[in-house]
Amino acid sequence: MSRVRVGCGATVLLTLREWERLAALPEPGNEVEPLHWCELEPRHGGLHFAFGQQSGEDAWWVVFDLGAPARRELQILVGCSAAAEEADELGDRGVCTLAADHAGGHSFEIALDTGAGRSVPVLLPALPDPAALTAVQQHNHAVLAAAGLTAATYLQMESLQHQESRFGVISTRHLGLQTNVAVPRLACLAADTSGLAAAVAQGYLAVPGPRTRPPVVADAQLADSAVVHLTDTGRALLARLQPQLQD
């Protein structure tokens, strides 16, 4: 996961290929996890930047566009050279941990409310143009957005729930995948599915297995996807939302 959640609620879920690439880098500075948060200040402009891995002197970042999930790239970026003018209570001058030429304030200038029970709201891609939607579609999009979901991710979660009802929650055989041990039913979804990372960030979906070791997938097409399963929180959300949605 990103080193610090500094206020921007944009999230990105690594593909299996991206995860394996970062995990295989020499001289790693941290363990790679699949979910990353943008580290820029809230409401910044432009692309989002999530720290991925430190490899020796190289800082790898995940650069992504929340509105166009397929627009994403792993980049080695030079660090920002800014330092705080005043020392803190320990006598240290904070240094900016962001990439050079970043948007918005420096990391040491960004205040994050870390009070009990508070968290950074998860950002969703912009809703479709209401003028292009029917009244029913507008209603359903609003219900899903209030729960932190996009329509695309909701449909994937509903499909997973349907597979669970037909074939059971725990299995070694999944849609296009097989596991050595029985695990919650998996789905290999396109990593650019709108809102997928946000659903993982909120605990509706989860990435299986040890968080720091990506599943091994030989198929090239699957390697550009992300493997997830429904959680109890996700199942409860589906049960709550289904009566609210209109046909």
Side-chain angles (χ1 to χ4, degrees):
M1 188 175 290
S2 302
R3 296 169 298 186
V4 187
R5 299 182 192 178
V6 295
C8 177
T11 55
V12 61
L13 190 64
L14 297 181
T15 65
L16 295 175
R17 189 188 306 277
E18 291 166 339
W19 191 0
E20 290 175 340
R21 184 179 181 186
L22 291 180
L25 290 173
E27 301 179 62
N30 58 279
E31 295 179 326
V32 180
E33 297 185 10
L35 180 71
H36 293 260
W37 294 69
C38 176
E39 298 198 12
L40 302 183
E41 71 177 5
R43 296 174 295 280
H44 66 83
L47 297 173
H48 297 278
F49 289 76
F51 177 73
Q53 175 66 291
Q54 187 74 32
S55 174
E57 297 297 317
D58 295 333
W60 288 74
W61 291 78
V62 188
V63 183
F64 64 102
D65 184 343
L66 192 65
R71 187 185 178 191
R72 53 196 291 155
E73 186 178 4
L74 293 178
Q75 296 183 11
I76 299 175
L77 299 176
V78 175
C80 180
S81 60
E85 295 183 359
E86 298 182 1
D88 59 21
E89 61 273 12
L90 299 177
D92 297 324
R93 293 177 61 203
V95 296
C96 184
T97 60
L98 303 175
D101 302 320
H102 59 81
H106 298 296
S107 61
F108 52 80
E109 297 173 329
I110 302 171
L112 175 64
D113 185 351
T114 56
R118 296 182 181 271
S119 62
V120 177
V122 177
L123 290 181
L124 292 176
L127 291 173
D129 181 1
L133 303 176
T134 66
V136 169
Q137 289 172 330
Q138 290 182 38
H139 167 83
N140 289 343
H141 276 289
V143 169
L144 294 175
L149 284 179
T150 63
T153 296
Y154 171 80
L155 291 174
Q156 295 290 0
M157 291 174 59
E158 198 174 44
S159 175
L160 255 174
Q161 186 182 51
H162 176 68
Q163 294 298 319
E164 288 183 346
S165 66
R166 290 190 62 192
F167 305 112
V169 174
I170 304 297
S171 180
T172 59
R173 299 183 66 84
H174 312 271
L175 292 176
L177 296 169
Q178 187 165 347
T179 55
N180 293 329
V181 296
V183 296
R185 184 159 299 282
L186 303 176
C188 198
L189 305 181
D192 59 2
T193 301
S194 177
L196 178 60
V200 174
Q202 294 170 101
Y204 304 147
L205 294 168
V207 177
R211 293 184 301 169
T212 55
R213 189 176 67 224
V216 177
V217 178
D219 186 278
Q221 185 174 358
L222 293 181
D224 288 321
S225 303
V227 177
V228 297
H229 65 80
L230 266 177
T231 66
D232 288 341
T233 301
R235 296 183 190 96
L237 178 68
L238 290 175
R240 179 167 61 85
L241 289 179
Q242 284 160 352
Q244 301 179 46
L245 297 173
Q246 299 176 0
D247 296 329

